[in-house]
Amino acid sequence: MSRNAYIVGTGHKVPDGVLTNADLEKIVDTTDEWITTRTGIKERRKTDDDTATSDLVAVAVEKAMKDAGWKPEDVQGIIVGTVTPDYCFPSTAALVADRLGLGTVPAYDFEAGCTAFIYGLVQAKAFIESGMMDRIIVVGADCLTKITNWNDRTSCILFGDGAGAVAVSSEGPGGRLGGWHWGSDGSLGKHLIQPGGGARRPASHETVDLIEHTIHMDGSRIFKHAVRAMRDSCMKALEKDGTEKKDVDLLISHQANLRIIDATARALELKPEQVYINIQKYGNTSAASIPMALDEAMRDGTISTPNTVVLAAFGAGLTWGGMILHWDE
Ligand code: UT7
């Protein structure tokens, strides 16, 4: 009998600190009206100086494990998608595995920008369906406010911090991981990049003076690509799944910009109530946005049984991806 992978628990964590559009008006030349109409964002969460990505991840994972009814010894692996790990190494996943007493399970970080959570689900699906694992934690987490240029009004208004985690099991009931699509195009990578601090431009006084350790983004170019990539990824994932647009109940898209989410919803011919939106509260939390929204949608009853949910994302790399989840009867 073929094996399936199911999401059996979800959890998320955001920091307490709230940064509103009015706060940003005091930092850069912008307005609440511009940010609201161009992005849909009203406020975002920001970590304090003492809090890093692993602190949010640990809480999100604990919640997902509790939701799944898992004890530490049940977990066979943990993978964390992030571009803002606590350190270049050791990995955030290994730090969290230690903190939560998960023992010596495999633990690693990977990066696919804002698409990382979908990349993580594809990995978990492969591990579980192949029989390599029965229970794995997948996390999407980022603290982009740590690498934000607060003088750049075209990007600093977008980002917030957060972490989302899911427990994925070979045993349901739960959200079955269905058809998927993932891709990348490195030729466009330069349009969304943290140029300094890596092996190409190691950290130096010069890289700091040039603010190269922050996000450098060509917003409108990314916008156009995102609309196309998310639409195509959804369609390819649906095709692989054998599901038609009319059978989709809910879209949970990467929360980057309300206008991008709307364009994806239009391509899927969805009604407004079939689109999960929380960007107004959190901004763009990068890899965390989909698992955070998924957790909220589970807990507030938006996702019920039976339900077919489409996930869609794009991000740095550039990368993109889509996956269909089924809560079967
Ligand atoms: O998760 C992946 C990460 N990246 C993204 O998701 C980014 C995707 N891109 C976007 O969301 C949008 O492109 C932005 C929100 C970044 C920008 O919106 P836009 O509609 O593409 O605006 P634009 O860049 O074309 O700029 C329009 C105008 C410009 O002024 P001029 O040249 O027309 O006079 C900008 O200087 O808006 C100006 N502008 C602002 N004005 C007030 C840019 N940022 C701001 C701001 N406040 N914060």
Side-chain angles (χ1 to χ4, degrees):
M1 218 177 90
S2 69
R3 288 166 61 92
N4 283 312
Y6 302 88
I7 292 176
V8 296
T10 60
H12 84 271
K13 172 68 181 166
V14 289
D16 295 334
V18 177
L19 189 67
T20 65
N21 290 350
D23 296 328
L24 283 166
E25 285 178 354
K26 293 177 203 138
I27 301 173
V28 282
D29 179 17
T30 192
T31 60
D32 171 48
E33 203 260 333
W34 192 95
I35 300 172
T36 305
T37 53
R38 306 306 288 173
T39 72
I41 301 166
K42 296 299 283 183
E43 59 187 43
R44 67 288 291 143
R45 298 299 182 93
K46 185 174 179 303
T47 40
D48 59 28
D49 290 346
D50 297 326
T51 306
T53 305
S54 70
D55 301 313
L56 305 182
V57 173
V59 178
V61 171
E62 266 183 322
K63 287 181 180 171
M65 286 171 57
K66 185 167 179 220
D67 193 32
W70 288 5
K71 298 188 202 60
E73 56 270 29
D74 295 327
V75 178
Q76 296 175 329
I78 174 168
I79 59 177
V80 177
T82 184
V83 292
T84 48
D86 289 24
Y87 310 104
C88 288
F89 54 88
S91 71
T92 310
L95 297 174
V96 170
D98 174 58
R99 196 183 309 183
L100 298 184
L102 304 186
T104 54
V105 296
Y108 63 88
D109 293 357
F110 61 96
E111 83 160 68
C114 306
T115 315
F117 182 68
I118 289 181
Y119 270 51
L121 287 185
V122 175
Q123 294 173 71
K125 181 176 164 71
F127 290 148
I128 288 178
E129 291 186 357
S130 66
M132 284 172 67
M133 284 187 182
D134 284 309
R135 289 172 302 280
I136 182 170
I137 301 280
V138 180
V139 180
D142 270 308
C143 291
L144 287 190
T145 70
K146 303 279 187 186
I147 57 166
T148 293
N149 177 354
W150 296 104
N151 292 315
D152 177 9
R153 70 173 183 169
T154 67
S155 66
C156 76
I157 48 105
L158 293 173
F159 304 119
D161 301 338
V166 294
V168 186
S169 172
S170 58
E171 275 181 47
R176 179 169 54 80
L177 308 191
W180 81 98
H181 174 74
W182 55 348
S184 75
D185 184 352
S187 73
L188 300 170
K190 57 182 176 290
H191 301 304
L192 180 50
I193 186 169
Q194 182 185 1
R200 178 70 58 193
R201 297 274 296 157
S204 67
H205 286 293
E206 189 193 359
T207 61
V208 173
D209 288 345
L210 294 172
I211 328 175
E212 290 186 358
H213 52 284
T214 63
I215 299 165
H216 292 237
M217 182 182 75
D218 180 344
S220 49
R221 196 183 277 260
I222 298 293
F223 187 101
K224 285 185 205 114
H225 179 77
V227 169
R228 201 173 46 243
M230 299 234 297
R231 183 195 57 214
D232 292 354
S233 269
C234 288
M235 296 310 167
K236 285 179 181 157
L238 281 170
E239 195 183 330
K240 195 170 219 160
D241 197 66
T243 297
E244 291 182 38
K245 282 194 284 195
K246 67 174 177 44
D247 296 321
V248 172
D249 295 303
L250 186 71
L251 168 68
I252 298 184
S253 150
H254 170 44
Q255 309 280 307
N257 185 314
L258 192 53
R259 292 182 290 144
I260 299 174
I261 300 171
D262 284 346
T264 310
R266 271 199 305 279
L268 289 170
E269 295 170 29
L270 296 175
K271 301 187 194 87
E273 62 271 23
Q274 293 178 298
V275 185
Y276 202 85
I277 293 168
N278 62 11
I279 191 172
Q280 70 283 0
K281 293 190 286 184
Y282 303 128
N284 177 349
T285 56
S286 185
S289 85
I290 292 179
M292 279 170 50
L294 186 62
D295 182 41
E296 285 196 342
M298 291 297 298
R299 289 174 195 268
D300 70 14
T302 304
I303 294 176
S304 53
T305 305
N307 241 196
T308 295
V309 178
V310 175
L311 308 183
F314 72 95
L318 298 181
T319 55
W320 53 85
M323 183 175 269
I324 315 302
L325 306 179
H326 294 282
W327 274 264
D328 301 317
E329 286 189 82

